[in-house]
Amino acid sequence: MTKTNKTNLPKELYEKFKANKPLHFLLFGIGLAIMLLAPYYDFIPGGRNTNGFVAPAIYFTVAALGLNLLLGYGGLISLATSAFIGVGALGMGYFMLFQEFSFFLSLGLTILISLGLGLLVGLFSLKVSGIYLTIGTLFFATILENIFRSVLPMSTTESFREITFFGNFVIDTSKSYTQLRTGEPQYDRYIALLIMVAVLVLSMIVIYNIIKSRTGRAFMAMSRSANAAAAMGVNIAKYRIIAFMTASLFATLAGVLYAIYGTSVEKNIWTLELSLFILAVVIVGGMRSIFGTFIGALVIFTVPNLYINEYLRTFSSFLENRFGINWQPVGFAPVFAGLLIIVVVLYYPRGLIKLFYDARILLLKLYGLIRNRLAKGGATDE
Amino acid sequence: MDSAIRSFFHVLFNALQQGSTTALAALGIVLIFRTSRTTNFAQSSIATLNAFVAAWLFSSHGFSIWVATPLALVTAFITGVFIDRAFIRRAPKNNPIARPIITLGIIMIIIGILPMVFRIGQSRPDGSPITYRLPRFFSGGIDVFGASLRYNQIFTVVVSIALMVGVFLFINHTKWGLATRVTASDETTARLMGVPTGKVTMFSWAFAAMFGTFAGIVLAPLMNMSPTFLVETQVNAFFASVVGGFTTFFGPVIAAYIIVFLDSYFPVLFNFWDGADIWGTSIVFIMVLIFLYFRPYGLFGEKPIKKV
Amino acid sequence: MNKNPQPKATKPLLELKDMTMRFGGLKAVDALSFDVKEGEIVGLIGPNGAGKTTVFNCMTQFYDTYEGDIRFRDANDEMVSLKGVKVNDIIDYGIVRTFQNIELVPDLSVIDNLLIGAHKQFKTGLFQHILTTPKARKEEKHFRQKAEEVLEFMNIHHLKDALVAGQPYGVQKKIEIARTLMGDPKLIILDEPAAGLNDHETDELEKLFYELRDKYNVTILLIEHDMGFVMNICDRVCAINFGKFLAMGSPEEIQTNKAVQEAYLGEEY
């Protein structure tokens, strides 16, 4: 009796831990935050500062989570993601730099604008569906892009010097962390990163709670067949609006994080190309997977810039020195993302997150095989 | 008054040219949508790629435009066939968003390939930037009410309209056109009835790529050739496709002209308002969105009867 | 034991009065009137294209442009018109349907699919779900419990965590019926429940319907082409052709009805 209890307790705890997904997200966030300390302690050989490459993956994951909800659960493609990220970044820039509002007031106003625009897209989606809706979101994006470009009274790039959250809590994002190794510790950017990680973890938990609730089930039912879902009592209008508003809110939050971390906001980069990159994150990482979205973001935003570009540059200088061929390794990131999208859609539709499951199954199989071998070997020995 | 007439004709000639190219691009989009059930977001990217082939032949190898253009059309044909065979046909059938997403992936590949292969935006060893351009097919023009009508504009409009009329005649009066129409209305049944739907979709992709490329080549002299120089045309073409409705072949073509005319005349009509230039395009876009809200299946499209 | 006990109550639950539905110039349903009484199992039959599914679509307000009236007994025991009720509010009246082509979510587990059927009964809202308040958690648990009971009743409890995708056809049909039970239905509308089932499964389904009626107190209206099944199970059968009413009565009456025979077998019969 006592024996069974003893052996069952860890298993029970493990089962409990396995079921508690929000705890996983929290632990993931803590792990990520610790890893982001690397540049301060020379963890990375060669003293490279990798945080600058990981940061885009973090804030774009937030946007991609919103798109994943919309696409993976709602079955709706939006091509307006980058425009909504732009709303976040430029909204913060406009309110803080031009209106000199406080951080939280600017944040509130930006979110309100984003929700309002999300509501508009949602209302539009009530009447228009399928391909017409997808193209409609493209028009929304184009209109917003036009407004950013020609209406906003800002120059192409505006820089934040520092962001005052409240009282003495000021982040001076112009201080670089690499200064640490020369002497004085500069944690400002790390704090910005911590804020980003916190928002990321919160976003993950929020998305998880939405998809595990009746809202998530309603999304799934709606994307499979709107008519059948309606017969089950799902108010299609309401859920489409919720889907679009959530997606635009998350994209806008990503823009806000971009503004906090990036020290500057630009007017001209919120184009279709960025929306496609975010779409690539969702598809490549794995539709309907929260961790998959982060993995997708790492693969799309971090890997090409951090590793592959480096090798290509080496290759390019090799070509130049050895053969005198002038070849610049440009345009690699989009080709990489585009090829990944196509390969994943064609051959691996559940995305890279499935690699982990497949790898686990493979390991288990190998383990079983080895064990069988050993058992057989033992038998013959006897 | 004279200046008003002149600007009227000036805008008219430009709009006719732009409308024709947009209509060609829209026709390509609808052709692909109808026959292979794919929203081809990469229409302008494919066109850009092949327009750059023409520009590369012209600028770097000294080919005449009259030679470079057919060569680029051939590569466009190959691109279209390749994309259909290599990607679109292999897409999982049960996932309706797989194919549009593949075309989005194609956009990204082309966005990367352009600077990689043609080295746009980089400099030569001597420091001069690498640029591409394409000349007009014809130079010179005539004067109409003070506005100049270029021969090249006439050429563009005539060729575009001839191409479109050709397509309509082909679709409505030939055996292959019948196959296209049958494939467009019900692909599965068509295949079961022995219509070579595979060939129909393949040629649709090929011809759509050629139409887009031709539009790109005639637009190239009017603007700076950058990797994004056809994006506006594509957006307008999509516009036209939704306004005209994806269910007919002629709807998008007509809508393309309407939209380009609206867009072109807006700043002229509202020239008393300072904001007309800034807001013009946005306002036309918003008007179309509102139009779509009330007619979700476009001007000529019909709402399908819903079924469970 | 009487296989076909007469319904205890004879109050009408659903009434169609002169219902007409047009698609363009075509009358898919033409001045159709019939009723379904509480506790009955009623079959709606007719040759292909007779307009049976269209009748269902009008009842569930999926088509809202029909003429005439469809009335239903509401919670206050009064007959009310369903005209103008939104599609997604029909379930509030206790009308739940299944579909000719199974409309389950293949990427969700069986139990999650059942929970979609309880969608309207959740009282907590989105924000409570995001914050996972104790109330929201309790409610989720409650409905999961209920779903498990329904699955137990349908004998598919062992599949509760399996994905719907890949389940055999017969099981999917069962899941769809199970899902209707989650909505606390008074009237279950079934579009070809026996289509594609083998003999054994059809027998099982027959038994299930009696159990459904007795345990869950539901009235059943079904479309079916399997005449043996319809004649076996239904208390009354309504036959239509080209959208027009032909006859309604007990299975025996319908089998011997001249008009019905003509509709199915042609004039010369």
Side-chain angles (χ1 to χ4, degrees):
Chain A
M1 189 70 202
T2 44
K3 204 181 167 192
T4 47
N5 264 351
K6 251 183 199 166
T7 46
N8 273 352
L9 190 64
K11 204 178 173 191
E12 240 170 62
L13 273 177
Y14 173 72
E15 289 296 328
K16 249 191 177 164
F17 170 75
K18 223 174 132 186
N20 192 346
K21 275 280 168 66
L23 187 64
H24 297 192
F25 300 136
L26 197 67
L27 290 176
F28 158 79
I30 293 169
L32 187 60
I34 292 171
M35 276 169 69
L36 290 171
L37 273 174
Y40 292 90
Y41 295 101
D42 273 344
F43 286 166
I44 314 266
R48 276 178 84 195
N49 177 13
T50 47
N51 284 9
F53 295 100
V54 179
I58 297 178
Y59 50 72
F60 285 134
T61 303
V62 175
L65 281 173
L67 183 65
N68 207 338
L69 185 76
L70 195 64
L71 182 70
Y73 289 88
L76 305 158
I77 309 182
S78 165
L79 294 175
T81 319
S82 74
F84 279 104
I85 303 176
V87 168
L90 294 169
M92 291 308 276
Y94 177 75
F95 289 124
M96 286 179 75
L97 297 172
F98 277 77
Q99 306 292 340
E100 304 198 330
F101 289 161
S102 74
F103 175 80
F104 285 104
L105 179 59
S106 307
L107 180 66
L109 288 172
T110 306
I111 286 179
L112 273 183
I113 291 174
S114 149
L115 287 177
L117 290 168
L119 177 66
L120 272 183
V121 182
L123 286 175
F124 182 73
S125 78
L126 302 187
K127 282 290 181 73
V128 184
S129 56
I131 173 193
Y132 294 85
L133 177 58
T134 308
I135 294 171
T137 62
L138 185 63
F139 294 145
F140 269 98
T142 315
I143 293 167
L144 282 176
E145 248 180 79
N146 273 341
I147 291 175
F148 296 157
R149 226 170 258 170
S150 42
V151 182
L152 264 193
M154 294 165 75
S155 47
T156 319
T157 308
E158 294 278 354
S159 304
F160 289 107
R161 298 260 61 196
E162 52 185 32
I163 297 169
T164 311
F165 286 91
F166 40 77
N168 287 336
F169 186 37
V170 180
I171 290 182
D172 184 346
T173 38
S174 60
K175 291 179 187 166
S176 161
Y177 15 26
T178 45
Q179 283 167 0
L180 173 101
R181 292 189 295 116
T182 63
E184 222 180 309
Q186 302 284 358
Y187 281 105
D188 286 68
R189 296 208 99 179
Y190 185 67
I191 291 170
L193 279 172
L194 277 188
I195 293 172
M196 285 164 47
V197 172
V199 173
L200 174 65
V201 170
L202 270 178
S203 311
M204 285 173 150
I205 293 175
V206 166
I207 294 282
Y208 177 78
N209 285 344
I210 290 179
I211 61 180
K212 283 295 158 192
S213 73
R214 74 164 187 158
T215 309
R217 291 188 291 263
F219 281 151
M220 292 283 280
M222 182 176 87
S223 73
R224 160 81 188 164
S225 159
N227 299 327
M232 291 296 123
V234 176
N235 185 343
I236 303 297
K238 182 178 150 192
Y239 284 96
R240 280 207 166 162
I241 289 175
I242 289 179
F244 274 107
M245 282 177 85
T246 317
S248 58
L249 176 69
F250 277 80
T252 302
L253 280 180
V256 172
L257 294 180
Y258 172 92
I260 292 176
Y261 185 80
T263 71
S264 66
V265 287
E266 282 130 53
K267 284 170 77 168
N268 292 338
I269 60 170
W270 313 111
T271 55
L272 177 66
E273 192 181 336
L274 180 62
S275 292
L276 296 184
F277 270 112
I278 307 277
L279 184 79
V281 167
V282 174
I283 304 281
V284 170
M287 281 217 267
R288 293 201 290 274
S289 167
I290 291 174
F291 278 128
T293 309
F294 182 70
I295 290 166
L298 279 181
V299 169
I300 298 294
F301 287 106
T302 308
V303 172
N305 298 323
L306 185 56
Y307 296 108
I308 299 173
N309 268 1
E310 181 112 327
Y311 293 125
L312 284 176
R313 236 169 277 136
T314 319
F315 181 63
S316 156
S317 55
F318 167 77
L319 280 181
E320 173 100 63
N321 297 335
R322 192 71 193 271
F323 302 105
I325 298 169
N326 182 2
W327 179 77
Q328 303 270 320
V330 284
F332 179 76
V335 171
F336 178 68
L339 277 178
L340 266 182
I341 289 184
I342 293 176
V343 168
V344 167
V345 167
L346 291 185
Y347 303 110
Y348 216 60
R350 302 224 0 233
L352 294 186
I353 189 73
K354 191 165 171 273
L355 276 178
F356 289 90
Y357 298 112
D358 287 354
R360 214 180 87 191
I361 289 166
L362 196 74
L363 281 178
L364 283 175
K365 260 189 196 160
L366 277 177
Y367 173 70
L369 214 71
I370 292 168
R371 212 177 47 179
N372 279 349
R373 262 289 159 75
L374 285 181
K376 249 189 205 162
T380 46
D381 275 355
E382 270 178 342
Chain B
M1 198 57 219
D2 269 1
S3 78
I5 291 174
R6 193 187 324 138
S7 77
F8 171 82
F9 278 100
H10 178 71
V11 172
L12 176 71
F13 299 148
N14 279 331
L16 270 175
Q17 179 174 22
Q18 239 193 320
S20 304
T21 50
T22 310
L24 265 185
L27 184 62
I29 289 170
V30 176
L31 208 56
I32 288 175
F33 180 79
R34 298 292 311 277
T35 54
S36 82
R37 297 276 152 224
T38 307
T39 316
N40 180 18
F41 289 103
Q43 174 74 7
S44 82
S45 302
I46 297 167
T48 311
L49 180 68
N50 291 297
F52 266 100
V53 169
W56 174 72
L57 289 171
F58 173 80
S59 309
S60 308
H61 296 270
F63 282 89
S64 138
I65 179 79
W66 293 98
V67 180
T69 303
L71 286 177
L73 290 178
V74 170
T75 60
F77 188 92
I78 295 168
T79 319
V81 171
F82 174 75
I83 289 174
D84 179 47
R85 289 259 143 160
F87 306 133
I88 302 299
R89 208 161 286 195
R90 291 163 200 266
K93 295 265 182 301
N94 54 2
N95 183 355
I97 57 176
R99 278 174 289 186
I101 286 175
I102 288 174
T103 67
L104 294 171
I106 292 169
I107 297 185
M108 302 199 80
I109 293 176
I110 293 176
I111 284 175
I113 280 181
L114 287 173
M116 208 184 261
V117 175
F118 297 105
R119 300 170 62 204
I120 303 150
Q122 299 172 34
S123 20
R124 293 196 175 82
D126 63 5
S128 61
I130 298 174
T131 53
Y132 291 92
R133 64 175 204 90
L134 276 170
R136 294 181 165 87
F137 286 92
F138 296 97
S139 53
I142 47 168
D143 191 273
V144 182
F145 296 106
S148 76
L149 171 59
R150 292 181 163 277
Y151 293 133
N152 199 58
Q153 287 172 326
I154 303 176
F155 172 74
T156 307
V157 174
V158 168
V159 173
S160 304
I161 291 178
L163 279 175
M164 289 184 279
V165 170
V167 168
F168 292 132
L169 290 178
F170 177 80
I171 285 178
N172 287 323
H173 296 287
T174 65
K175 196 180 133 198
W176 273 97
L178 181 68
T180 312
R181 274 181 293 152
V182 174
T183 309
S185 74
D186 188 344
E187 205 251 334
T188 316
T189 312
R191 201 175 48 234
L192 292 174
M193 302 296 283
V195 174
T197 55
K199 273 188 189 145
V200 169
T201 47
M202 187 182 86
F203 281 115
S204 297
W205 276 90
F207 279 102
M210 286 167 73
F211 293 159
T213 302
F214 179 75
I217 288 172
V218 294
L219 284 173
L222 311 180
M223 37 185 111
N224 267 333
M225 268 187 93
S226 74
T228 55
F229 86 106
L230 286 177
V231 167
E232 201 190 323
T233 311
Q234 152 137 327
V235 171
N236 278 335
F238 265 124
F239 236 152
S241 310
V242 292
V243 170
F246 275 95
T247 40
T248 62
F249 287 109
F250 66 90
V253 169
I254 294 169
Y257 283 100
I258 296 177
I259 282 164
V260 170
F261 272 72
L262 274 179
D263 201 14
S264 309
Y265 277 105
F266 193 89
V268 181
L269 289 174
F270 292 86
N271 63 358
F272 51 86
W273 177 38
D274 289 338
D277 272 343
I278 300 176
W279 286 97
T281 313
S282 299
I283 287 176
V284 175
F285 276 28
I286 291 168
M287 274 161 47
V288 173
L289 282 179
I290 293 171
F291 165 82
L292 260 187
Y293 186 80
F294 290 105
R295 272 206 69 103
Y297 296 95
L299 216 47
F300 305 101
E302 270 169 32
K303 191 179 176 175
I305 292 174
K306 42 181 192 172
K307 275 186 182 163
V308 234
Chain C
M1 188 186 123
N2 189 357
K3 220 178 158 197
N4 254 347
Q6 281 303 308
K8 293 151 236 153
T10 44
K11 279 193 289 187
L13 182 67
L14 174 86
E15 268 176 5
L16 269 74
K17 278 187 185 158
D18 286 331
M19 197 206 85
T20 300
M21 178 70 203
R22 290 169 214 267
F23 293 109
L26 184 86
K27 276 188 189 169
V29 182
D30 192 354
L32 183 66
S33 303
F34 72 91
D35 66 351
V36 177
K37 298 200 165 59
E38 277 183 350
E40 267 188 323
I41 298 178
V42 173
L44 183 62
I45 63 166
N48 281 325
K52 302 180 297 289
T53 300
T54 307
V55 173
F56 275 18
N57 283 339
C58 293
M59 280 178 195
T60 50
Q61 303 302 310
F62 181 66
Y63 296 145
D64 51 7
T65 52
Y66 61 87
E67 298 149 39
D69 204 6
I70 298 173
R71 299 168 74 79
F72 192 76
R73 190 169 296 279
D74 72 354
N76 303 327
D77 210 26
E78 276 165 40
M79 293 300 280
V80 290
S81 171
L82 292 179
K83 187 109 203 171
V85 176
K86 285 200 196 115
V87 191
N88 53 302
D89 291 335
I90 280 295
I91 198 169
D92 295 346
Y93 288 79
I95 305 176
V96 196
R97 71 176 290 183
T98 67
F99 300 87
Q100 208 169 338
N101 312 309
I102 296 171
E103 295 280 9
L104 293 166
V105 184
D107 299 335
L108 277 181
S109 67
V110 171
I111 194 163
D112 279 336
N113 265 286
L114 256 64
L115 287 169
I116 292 172
H119 180 84
K120 268 285 184 89
Q121 298 179 13
F122 280 81
K123 296 284 175 291
T124 52
L126 178 62
F127 290 102
Q128 279 156 299
H129 294 143
I130 290 176
L131 299 171
T132 50
T133 57
K135 217 173 149 192
R137 252 180 287 170
K138 211 177 132 195
E139 196 177 37
E140 178 84 14
K141 213 175 157 187
H142 167 76
F143 284 113
R144 278 191 185 272
Q145 195 97 47
K146 183 174 171 186
E148 293 204 18
E149 280 162 24
V150 172
L151 286 173
E152 200 91 58
F153 168 73
M154 301 287 292
N155 282 329
I156 43 175
H157 185 263
H158 56 288
L159 296 172
K160 78 178 164 107
D161 291 322
L163 285 186
V164 165
Q167 297 296 339
Y169 193 74
V171 172
Q172 295 203 15
K173 290 229 145 181
K174 271 188 172 177
I175 300 169
E176 225 188 9
I177 295 174
R179 184 175 66 178
T180 63
L181 292 176
M182 292 298 290
D184 289 342
K186 283 160 80 180
L187 175 69
I188 299 183
I189 302 180
L190 300 157
D191 203 340
E192 302 197 13
L197 298 187
N198 59 34
D199 289 350
H200 172 69
E201 286 169 325
T202 311
D203 289 346
E204 223 183 338
L205 192 67
E206 221 170 280
K207 233 169 65 199
L208 177 75
F209 280 4
Y210 296 127
E211 283 174 21
L212 267 182
R213 183 169 67 179
D214 297 340
K215 184 166 183 225
Y216 284 90
N217 241 338
V218 294
T219 307
I220 296 172
L221 173 61
L222 54 97
I223 293 176
E224 189 49 68
H225 283 291
D226 182 342
M227 280 308 142
F229 179 76
V230 171
M231 298 305 167
N232 244 338
I233 194 173
C234 292
D235 300 313
R236 283 195 301 153
V237 176
C238 175
I240 63 174
N241 193 20
F242 295 117
K244 281 195 181 115
F245 180 85
L246 288 181
M248 184 157 187
S250 69
E252 294 76 31
E253 286 164 13
I254 293 298
Q255 272 167 316
T256 52
N257 186 294
K258 199 92 184 136
V260 178
Q261 287 170 350
E262 264 174 28
Y264 270 93
L265 301 163
E267 296 272 336
E268 73 272 26
Y269 178 78

